[in-house]
Amino acid sequence: MKVATWNVNGIRARAAQVQEWLDRERPDVVCLQELKAELAQVPEAVQRPDYHAFWHCCKGYSGVSLQLRKETFPGDLVYSHPPFDLESRIVQVELGDLIIASMYVPNGGKDYPAKLAFLTRLVDWARRLRAEGRELLLCGDVNIARSEMDVHPRERKPMAVGQRPEERAMFETLLGTGLTDVGRVMDPDNAGLFTWWAPWRNLRARNIGWRLDYLLASPGVATRARSCEVQADVGTSDHAPVVMTTA
């Protein structure tokens, strides 16, 4: 199975790129974030007949989608949202014991307490699901650089939102519910493993970035992972797609 996540930073601006990327990669599961569009504004080019899709939209900002290839997942699917969802930031689908979610954690720059509240409820939700014996795959933009290694040295600022100790502690608590950071496990020593670059000073070409986008998997998924790659050369969003393949 191939699972892909991408913060597109505007689905209307990136529609042609997403279409080309889907044609080339043919993921079984596609998680998009930061759609910045109402449902009626989502371009037809990315509303593909070969995918089940739920577009969880919010006018002007936020918004996520979750798409599953019909060939891989035949039959009707049921999408839903955890009770802590706000501003169209998370959509989930249940596939037997497995729950897959596309998620966009608040940035926190304008309302830091709201970010912490979202993370607290996310941890509680993941812990409850794992206690029930459910497998879980969280895909998307967590808006936290997990460790110092996940930020280029020139970008490290201890009290910058996305790098603060309490955010990182909450991230580790989330992983403590039984989730694995698949990207880092697959590339443990890569100090240049970034998924987001500020859109100025040619930072992306110089790979001066942060790692903010993740696939977090419970053991039933994580143990089958064979690769997890950042496609840093794809698209013009300030984020790059991350693609995981499993056995």
PDB file of all heavy atoms in Angstrom, residues 58-79:
ATOM      1  N   CYS A  58     -13.102  24.487   4.526  1.00  0.00           N
ATOM      2  CA  CYS A  58     -13.302  25.660   5.368  1.00  0.00           C
ATOM      3  C   CYS A  58     -12.902  26.869   4.531  1.00  0.00           C
ATOM      4  O   CYS A  58     -11.805  26.906   3.974  1.00  0.00           O
ATOM      5  CB  CYS A  58     -12.449  25.573   6.626  1.00  0.00           C
ATOM      6  SG  CYS A  58     -12.715  26.872   7.838  1.00  0.00           S
ATOM      7  N   LYS A  59     -13.778  27.841   4.445  1.00  0.00           N
ATOM      8  CA  LYS A  59     -13.547  28.971   3.559  1.00  0.00           C
ATOM      9  C   LYS A  59     -12.281  29.741   3.920  1.00  0.00           C
ATOM     10  O   LYS A  59     -12.104  30.164   5.056  1.00  0.00           O
ATOM     11  CB  LYS A  59     -14.744  29.923   3.605  1.00  0.00           C
ATOM     12  CG  LYS A  59     -14.633  31.098   2.656  1.00  0.00           C
ATOM     13  CD  LYS A  59     -15.866  31.977   2.713  1.00  0.00           C
ATOM     14  CE  LYS A  59     -15.753  33.148   1.747  1.00  0.00           C
ATOM     15  NZ  LYS A  59     -16.959  34.006   1.793  1.00  0.00           N
ATOM     16  N   GLY A  60     -11.377  29.870   2.944  1.00  0.00           N
ATOM     17  CA  GLY A  60     -10.245  30.773   3.083  1.00  0.00           C
ATOM     18  C   GLY A  60      -9.009  30.219   3.753  1.00  0.00           C
ATOM     19  O   GLY A  60      -7.913  30.708   3.516  1.00  0.00           O
ATOM     20  N   TYR A  61      -9.170  29.206   4.599  1.00  0.00           N
ATOM     21  CA  TYR A  61      -7.998  28.649   5.273  1.00  0.00           C
ATOM     22  C   TYR A  61      -8.340  27.247   5.773  1.00  0.00           C
ATOM     23  O   TYR A  61      -9.485  26.814   5.694  1.00  0.00           O
ATOM     24  CB  TYR A  61      -7.535  29.531   6.440  1.00  0.00           C
ATOM     25  CG  TYR A  61      -8.446  29.517   7.647  1.00  0.00           C
ATOM     26  CD1 TYR A  61      -8.069  28.873   8.812  1.00  0.00           C
ATOM     27  CD2 TYR A  61      -9.684  30.135   7.610  1.00  0.00           C
ATOM     28  CE1 TYR A  61      -8.896  28.857   9.926  1.00  0.00           C
ATOM     29  CE2 TYR A  61     -10.522  30.137   8.710  1.00  0.00           C
ATOM     30  CZ  TYR A  61     -10.127  29.495   9.869  1.00  0.00           C
ATOM     31  OH  TYR A  61     -10.944  29.478  10.968  1.00  0.00           O
ATOM     32  N   SER A  62      -7.356  26.551   6.270  1.00  0.00           N
ATOM     33  CA  SER A  62      -7.551  25.216   6.826  1.00  0.00           C
ATOM     34  C   SER A  62      -8.156  24.287   5.766  1.00  0.00           C
ATOM     35  O   SER A  62      -7.972  24.463   4.572  1.00  0.00           O
ATOM     36  CB  SER A  62      -8.412  25.303   8.091  1.00  0.00           C
ATOM     37  OG  SER A  62      -8.401  24.095   8.795  1.00  0.00           O
ATOM     38  N   GLY A  63      -8.850  23.249   6.217  1.00  0.00           N
ATOM     39  CA  GLY A  63      -9.449  22.283   5.305  1.00  0.00           C
ATOM     40  C   GLY A  63      -8.552  21.095   5.018  1.00  0.00           C
ATOM     41  O   GLY A  63      -7.347  21.246   4.794  1.00  0.00           O
ATOM     42  N   VAL A  64      -9.132  19.890   5.049  1.00  0.00           N
ATOM     43  CA  VAL A  64      -8.388  18.658   4.782  1.00  0.00           C
ATOM     44  C   VAL A  64      -9.233  17.754   3.882  1.00  0.00           C
ATOM     45  O   VAL A  64     -10.452  17.885   3.803  1.00  0.00           O
ATOM     46  CB  VAL A  64      -8.044  17.899   6.090  1.00  0.00           C
ATOM     47  CG1 VAL A  64      -7.069  18.697   6.938  1.00  0.00           C
ATOM     48  CG2 VAL A  64      -9.295  17.576   6.889  1.00  0.00           C
ATOM     49  N   SER A  65      -8.564  16.834   3.218  1.00  0.00           N
ATOM     50  CA  SER A  65      -9.291  15.811   2.462  1.00  0.00           C
ATOM     51  C   SER A  65      -8.641  14.459   2.692  1.00  0.00           C
ATOM     52  O   SER A  65      -7.464  14.362   3.072  1.00  0.00           O
ATOM     53  CB  SER A  65      -9.322  16.136   0.967  1.00  0.00           C
ATOM     54  OG  SER A  65      -8.059  15.940   0.366  1.00  0.00           O
ATOM     55  N   LEU A  66      -9.430  13.425   2.460  1.00  0.00           N
ATOM     56  CA  LEU A  66      -8.970  12.051   2.607  1.00  0.00           C
ATOM     57  C   LEU A  66      -9.558  11.252   1.454  1.00  0.00           C
ATOM     58  O   LEU A  66     -10.779  11.165   1.307  1.00  0.00           O
ATOM     59  CB  LEU A  66      -9.422  11.488   3.955  1.00  0.00           C
ATOM     60  CG  LEU A  66      -9.072  10.039   4.302  1.00  0.00           C
ATOM     61  CD1 LEU A  66      -7.578   9.772   4.143  1.00  0.00           C
ATOM     62  CD2 LEU A  66      -9.527   9.711   5.721  1.00  0.00           C
ATOM     63  N   GLN A  67      -8.679  10.692   0.626  1.00  0.00           N
ATOM     64  CA  GLN A  67      -9.097   9.986  -0.577  1.00  0.00           C
ATOM     65  C   GLN A  67      -8.497   8.587  -0.583  1.00  0.00           C
ATOM     66  O   GLN A  67      -7.312   8.417  -0.275  1.00  0.00           O
ATOM     67  CB  GLN A  67      -8.636  10.751  -1.821  1.00  0.00           C
ATOM     68  CG  GLN A  67      -9.162  12.182  -1.867  1.00  0.00           C
ATOM     69  CD  GLN A  67      -8.541  12.982  -2.988  1.00  0.00           C
ATOM     70  OE1 GLN A  67      -8.740  12.682  -4.156  1.00  0.00           O
ATOM     71  NE2 GLN A  67      -7.787  14.011  -2.642  1.00  0.00           N
ATOM     72  N   LEU A  68      -9.295   7.600  -0.949  1.00  0.00           N
ATOM     73  CA  LEU A  68      -8.854   6.216  -1.008  1.00  0.00           C
ATOM     74  C   LEU A  68      -9.173   5.634  -2.378  1.00  0.00           C
ATOM     75  O   LEU A  68     -10.296   5.786  -2.880  1.00  0.00           O
ATOM     76  CB  LEU A  68      -9.530   5.378   0.087  1.00  0.00           C
ATOM     77  CG  LEU A  68      -9.030   5.621   1.515  1.00  0.00           C
ATOM     78  CD1 LEU A  68      -9.728   6.804   2.150  1.00  0.00           C
ATOM     79  CD2 LEU A  68      -9.206   4.388   2.385  1.00  0.00           C
ATOM     80  N   ARG A  69      -8.199   4.976  -2.939  1.00  0.00           N
ATOM     81  CA  ARG A  69      -8.362   4.416  -4.284  1.00  0.00           C
ATOM     82  C   ARG A  69      -9.413   3.307  -4.277  1.00  0.00           C
ATOM     83  O   ARG A  69      -9.341   2.369  -3.473  1.00  0.00           O
ATOM     84  CB  ARG A  69      -7.017   3.886  -4.785  1.00  0.00           C
ATOM     85  CG  ARG A  69      -7.074   3.284  -6.187  1.00  0.00           C
ATOM     86  CD  ARG A  69      -5.699   2.873  -6.672  1.00  0.00           C
ATOM     87  NE  ARG A  69      -4.901   4.044  -6.975  1.00  0.00           N
ATOM     88  CZ  ARG A  69      -5.001   4.763  -8.098  1.00  0.00           C
ATOM     89  NH1 ARG A  69      -5.883   4.408  -9.021  1.00  0.00           N
ATOM     90  NH2 ARG A  69      -4.243   5.800  -8.298  1.00  0.00           N
ATOM     91  N   LYS A  70     -10.385   3.420  -5.166  1.00  0.00           N
ATOM     92  CA  LYS A  70     -11.484   2.458  -5.202  1.00  0.00           C
ATOM     93  C   LYS A  70     -11.005   1.047  -5.541  1.00  0.00           C
ATOM     94  O   LYS A  70     -11.567   0.054  -5.066  1.00  0.00           O
ATOM     95  CB  LYS A  70     -12.542   2.923  -6.205  1.00  0.00           C
ATOM     96  CG  LYS A  70     -13.277   4.184  -5.775  1.00  0.00           C
ATOM     97  CD  LYS A  70     -14.288   4.628  -6.821  1.00  0.00           C
ATOM     98  CE  LYS A  70     -15.019   5.876  -6.378  1.00  0.00           C
ATOM     99  NZ  LYS A  70     -15.982   6.366  -7.397  1.00  0.00           N
ATOM    100  N   GLU A  71      -9.973   0.964  -6.354  1.00  0.00           N
ATOM    101  CA  GLU A  71      -9.439  -0.353  -6.724  1.00  0.00           C
ATOM    102  C   GLU A  71      -8.909  -1.100  -5.503  1.00  0.00           C
ATOM    103  O   GLU A  71      -9.024  -2.319  -5.399  1.00  0.00           O
ATOM    104  CB  GLU A  71      -8.328  -0.166  -7.752  1.00  0.00           C
ATOM    105  CG  GLU A  71      -7.709  -1.456  -8.257  1.00  0.00           C
ATOM    106  CD  GLU A  71      -6.620  -1.183  -9.272  1.00  0.00           C
ATOM    107  OE1 GLU A  71      -6.615  -0.100  -9.904  1.00  0.00           O
ATOM    108  OE2 GLU A  71      -5.768  -2.076  -9.448  1.00  0.00           O
ATOM    109  N   THR A  72      -8.319  -0.342  -4.552  1.00  0.00           N
ATOM    110  CA  THR A  72      -7.753  -0.936  -3.344  1.00  0.00           C
ATOM    111  C   THR A  72      -8.804  -1.116  -2.262  1.00  0.00           C
ATOM    112  O   THR A  72      -8.769  -2.088  -1.501  1.00  0.00           O
ATOM    113  CB  THR A  72      -6.616  -0.049  -2.797  1.00  0.00           C
ATOM    114  OG1 THR A  72      -5.695   0.220  -3.849  1.00  0.00           O
ATOM    115  CG2 THR A  72      -5.881  -0.728  -1.658  1.00  0.00           C
ATOM    116  N   PHE A  73      -9.749  -0.172  -2.214  1.00  0.00           N
ATOM    117  CA  PHE A  73     -10.781  -0.180  -1.172  1.00  0.00           C
ATOM    118  C   PHE A  73     -12.161  -0.156  -1.833  1.00  0.00           C
ATOM    119  O   PHE A  73     -12.810   0.890  -1.888  1.00  0.00           O
ATOM    120  CB  PHE A  73     -10.610   1.030  -0.250  1.00  0.00           C
ATOM    121  CG  PHE A  73      -9.270   1.119   0.412  1.00  0.00           C
ATOM    122  CD1 PHE A  73      -8.273   1.943  -0.124  1.00  0.00           C
ATOM    123  CD2 PHE A  73      -8.985   0.383   1.550  1.00  0.00           C
ATOM    124  CE1 PHE A  73      -7.036   2.033   0.482  1.00  0.00           C
ATOM    125  CE2 PHE A  73      -7.745   0.463   2.153  1.00  0.00           C
ATOM    126  CZ  PHE A  73      -6.761   1.287   1.624  1.00  0.00           C
ATOM    127  N   PRO A  74     -12.623  -1.294  -2.359  1.00  0.00           N
ATOM    128  CA  PRO A  74     -13.944  -1.320  -3.001  1.00  0.00           C
ATOM    129  C   PRO A  74     -15.060  -1.185  -1.971  1.00  0.00           C
ATOM    130  O   PRO A  74     -14.857  -1.396  -0.779  1.00  0.00           O
ATOM    131  CB  PRO A  74     -13.959  -2.699  -3.673  1.00  0.00           C
ATOM    132  CG  PRO A  74     -13.023  -3.536  -2.863  1.00  0.00           C
ATOM    133  CD  PRO A  74     -11.945  -2.607  -2.391  1.00  0.00           C
ATOM    134  N   GLY A  75     -16.223  -0.837  -2.439  1.00  0.00           N
ATOM    135  CA  GLY A  75     -17.362  -0.700  -1.542  1.00  0.00           C
ATOM    136  C   GLY A  75     -17.455   0.699  -0.967  1.00  0.00           C
ATOM    137  O   GLY A  75     -16.594   1.546  -1.175  1.00  0.00           O
ATOM    138  N   ASP A  76     -18.528   0.935  -0.242  1.00  0.00           N
ATOM    139  CA  ASP A  76     -18.753   2.246   0.346  1.00  0.00           C
ATOM    140  C   ASP A  76     -17.921   2.433   1.601  1.00  0.00           C
ATOM    141  O   ASP A  76     -17.741   1.501   2.389  1.00  0.00           O
ATOM    142  CB  ASP A  76     -20.239   2.420   0.687  1.00  0.00           C
ATOM    143  CG  ASP A  76     -21.120   2.411  -0.544  1.00  0.00           C
ATOM    144  OD1 ASP A  76     -20.633   2.844  -1.615  1.00  0.00           O
ATOM    145  OD2 ASP A  76     -22.284   1.970  -0.437  1.00  0.00           O
ATOM    146  N   LEU A  77     -17.420   3.650   1.788  1.00  0.00           N
ATOM    147  CA  LEU A  77     -16.642   3.988   2.976  1.00  0.00           C
ATOM    148  C   LEU A  77     -17.409   4.993   3.818  1.00  0.00           C
ATOM    149  O   LEU A  77     -18.201   5.784   3.292  1.00  0.00           O
ATOM    150  CB  LEU A  77     -15.291   4.584   2.567  1.00  0.00           C
ATOM    151  CG  LEU A  77     -14.387   3.699   1.706  1.00  0.00           C
ATOM    152  CD1 LEU A  77     -13.088   4.426   1.395  1.00  0.00           C
ATOM    153  CD2 LEU A  77     -14.101   2.368   2.383  1.00  0.00           C
ATOM    154  N   VAL A  78     -17.146   4.950   5.110  1.00  0.00           N
ATOM    155  CA  VAL A  78     -17.798   5.877   6.032  1.00  0.00           C
ATOM    156  C   VAL A  78     -16.746   6.809   6.616  1.00  0.00           C
ATOM    157  O   VAL A  78     -15.829   6.365   7.315  1.00  0.00           O
ATOM    158  CB  VAL A  78     -18.526   5.127   7.161  1.00  0.00           C
ATOM    159  CG1 VAL A  78     -19.144   6.123   8.137  1.00  0.00           C
ATOM    160  CG2 VAL A  78     -19.595   4.207   6.586  1.00  0.00           C
ATOM    161  N   TYR A  79     -16.886   8.091   6.315  1.00  0.00           N
ATOM    162  CA  TYR A  79     -15.991   9.111   6.848  1.00  0.00           C
ATOM    163  C   TYR A  79     -16.649   9.766   8.053  1.00  0.00           C
ATOM    164  O   TYR A  79     -17.879   9.853   8.147  1.00  0.00           O
ATOM    165  CB  TYR A  79     -15.708  10.183   5.795  1.00  0.00           C
ATOM    166  CG  TYR A  79     -14.915   9.710   4.602  1.00  0.00           C
ATOM    167  CD1 TYR A  79     -15.540   9.247   3.451  1.00  0.00           C
ATOM    168  CD2 TYR A  79     -13.523   9.749   4.626  1.00  0.00           C
ATOM    169  CE1 TYR A  79     -14.811   8.834   2.348  1.00  0.00           C
ATOM    170  CE2 TYR A  79     -12.788   9.338   3.529  1.00  0.00           C
ATOM    171  CZ  TYR A  79     -13.429   8.882   2.396  1.00  0.00           C
ATOM    172  OH  TYR A  79     -12.705   8.467   1.310  1.00  0.00           O
TER     173      TYR A  79
END
